[in-house]
Amino acid sequence: MALTLPAPPPRWLEDLSSGPVTTKTKQSFPDPLGYQVASRQQKSSSNKMIAQPRKQPTAEEMDTLKLKKAWELALAPAKQLPMNAIGMYMTGNSLQIFSIMMVFMLFKGPIQAVLNIQNTFQRLETDTNRQQMLAVKAAFVGCNLLALALGIWKVNGMGLLPTTRSDWLAWESAREPLERAYFVPT
């Protein structure tokens, strides 16, 4: 059984892979930083090189990467606060279905996130980084509490929070003004 070598690539393929032939003249601009034309010898030698398998990260490196990803997850609710604040501002303070649904979603998201905090960080927590994950979880809860505070601010702006005495006491009457101003057309 005879070994057959693969046929050489066609000439046009070699021309495409070699790049344009450039000659340096006094009027030509210098090549930009990082640009280099590889010679055919360099390309053929690089094709012969066998790709080295990537080494597996150590346990310390994995813990560092997991902790970094956990911090990204923990600070994600804070990155949504400006968008939510603009949305709350744009919906106005009147009682409409759109503003009510926006406020409902603003309360629902952080409450669900805080209740599912263990599931959120479960795949990133190991025995060696358990103490560091407490700070990450506290930051996650803090960012979600900021989102809840934004929702409370919006509900207060809509006039739905009972913040006066007359809201709580049935026998409390509204204050009578000492003076009244009326417009009298002339």
Side-chain angles (χ1 to χ4, degrees), residues 8 42 48 116 139:
Q42 289 175 342
K48 293 177 184 175
N116 293 327

Side-chain angles (χ1 to χ4, degrees), residues 77-125:
K79 293 177 183 177
Q80 295 173 357
L81 283 176
M83 179 192 65
N84 286 335
I86 291 171
M88 293 298 112
Y89 172 75
M90 296 300 247
T91 58
N93 287 337
S94 61
L95 290 175
Q96 299 173 4
I97 189 67
F98 188 69
S99 59
I100 292 171
M101 289 303 294
M102 288 285 288
V103 169
F104 172 73
M105 295 302 280
L106 190 62
F107 279 112
K108 179 182 167 252
I111 291 172
Q112 272 187 329
V114 170
L115 291 177
N116 293 327
I117 192 168
Q118 291 300 332
N119 293 337
T120 303
F121 293 103
Q122 181 179 14
R123 62 188 173 90
L124 300 173
E125 191 170 353

Side-chain angles (χ1 to χ4, degrees), residues 1-7:
M1 193 165 187
L3 284 175
T4 58
L5 296 174

